[in-house]
Amino acid sequence: MSTQVEEKKAAPAVKEKSEGLFSQKNRKLLVDPLNSNNPITVQVLGICSALAVTIQIQTALVMALGLTFVTAFSNLFISLIRDSIPARIRIIVQLAIVSVWVIILDQFLRAYMYDVAKGLSVYVGLIITNCIVMGRLEAYAMANKPWPSFLDGIGNGLGYGAILLTVAFFRELFGSGSLLGYKVFAAAGLPFQGNGLMLLPAGACIIVGLIIWAQRAYNKHYEE
């Protein structure tokens, strides 16, 4: 009996190999939402704000960075406290956490970028109910560790932002004839009268639809 105890004491402890901060699995969390698992074109989430804030590249860029900020830190904090959240009130807790980060973002924009905050109108506040934010909390942060959850939030925010900037590029160029406020056609000496359809949500809807079609055709992703 004493011999067995000694053998157990002498047996080397098996140390679990820790995963690197930017391992292949973690890098995939950043890269996949840009294309194969994009929140707008594949998951079809966040469509409303994509149609509303893409008249100009500047507002689209600020909205994209804002949503990335909120999603990343909401994912991080929900993941940190996920084991202590009662299942019945998890949605309320998630909304409370998201609200804190949205208020911080809104106050920052009003203090330092007031014109952009006015251009974004109510859509900064509506990040609280954005399907992408709530979807990532439920689908990922509630079941994973803080660091991967943080990366998942950044990846999905960047994927959302990539589509917003693409839509805003075409809407501002063909709607107003400018890019970031610079009159492109006028500078080139070309006569151009803005296309009014590009300034309407219907124009944004057409562009988003074309992007979804092109991306799915390229990736050979078809819905049955």
Side-chain angles (χ1 to χ4, degrees), residues 65-81 93-94 96-102 104-105 133 136-137 141 146-155 157:
L65 293 176
L67 187 129
T68 302
F69 168 77
V70 172
T71 310
F73 283 97
S74 297
N75 263 14
L76 175 64
F77 275 80
I78 287 295
S79 178
L80 284 170
I81 63 173
V93 175
Q94 291 169 6
I97 296 290
V98 174
S99 299
V100 171
W101 294 111
V102 170
I104 293 173
L105 172 66
V133 180
R136 298 324 300 168
L137 293 178
W147 177 246
S149 298
F150 185 67
L151 294 180
D152 178 79
I154 293 177

Side-chain angles (χ1 to χ4, degrees), residues 52-53 56 59 62 106 109-111 113-124:
V53 302
Q56 294 181 334
T59 54
V62 173
D106 186 52
L109 293 178
R110 288 177 183 275
M113 305 177 72
Y114 185 70
D115 290 338
V116 176
K118 283 183 63 179
L120 287 171
S121 184
V122 299
Y123 289 97
V124 173

Side-chain angles (χ1 to χ4, degrees), residues 2-223:
S2 60
T3 306
Q4 291 178 352
V5 173
E6 288 176 1
E7 287 178 353
K8 287 182 179 178
K9 288 182 178 179
V14 178
K15 188 175 181 180
E16 187 177 350
K17 188 178 179 180
S18 60
E19 186 176 11
L21 291 178
F22 293 99
S23 63
Q24 184 177 3
K25 181 181 176 182
N26 287 342
R27 289 199 304 273
K28 194 174 179 183
L29 294 173
L30 293 172
V31 174
D32 277 3
L34 295 176
N35 183 21
S36 61
N37 196 25
N38 188 277
I40 292 181
T41 58
V42 178
Q43 301 175 35
V44 196
L45 300 175
I47 295 291
C48 296
S49 59
L51 304 183
V53 302
T54 50
I55 292 179
Q56 294 181 334
I57 293 177
Q58 185 185 31
T59 54
L61 177 61
V62 173
M63 184 68 179
L65 293 176
L67 187 129
T68 302
F69 168 77
V70 172
T71 310
F73 283 97
S74 297
N75 263 14
L76 175 64
F77 275 80
I78 287 295
S79 178
L80 284 170
I81 63 173
R82 68 186 188 281
D83 293 333
S84 59
I85 301 176
R88 287 183 299 176
I89 62 168
R90 70 185 191 285
I91 300 296
I92 297 174
V93 175
Q94 291 169 6
L95 285 172
I97 296 290
V98 174
S99 299
V100 171
W101 294 111
V102 170
I103 290 170
I104 293 173
L105 172 66
D106 186 52
Q107 292 301 305
F108 176 84
L109 293 178
R110 288 177 183 275
Y112 297 103
M113 305 177 72
Y114 185 70
D115 290 338
V116 176
K118 283 183 63 179
L120 287 171
S121 184
V122 299
Y123 289 97
V124 173
L126 288 177
I127 290 176
I128 294 173
T129 58
N130 191 295
C131 300
I132 297 173
V133 180
M134 296 303 295
R136 298 324 300 168
L137 293 178
E138 275 288 282
Y140 199 87
M142 287 295 292
N144 289 280
K145 294 179 180 179
W147 177 246
S149 298
F150 185 67
L151 294 180
D152 178 79
I154 293 177
N156 278 275
L158 294 179
Y160 169 82
I163 301 302
L164 249 66
L165 291 175
T166 303
V167 175
F169 174 85
F170 289 107
R171 290 189 73 185
E172 185 174 351
L173 179 62
F174 295 111
S176 305
S178 62
L179 290 174
L180 287 170
Y182 179 74
K183 294 293 182 182
V184 176
F185 293 103
L190 299 174
F192 179 78
Q193 187 172 3
N195 187 327
L197 179 63
M198 290 293 104
L199 301 177
L200 299 173
C205 190
I206 292 172
I207 297 174
V208 170
L210 290 174
I211 293 173
I212 291 175
W213 169 75
Q215 186 194 38
R216 294 192 177 199
Y218 178 78
N219 292 338
K220 301 187 185 317
H221 175 84
Y222 304 105
E223 297 285 349

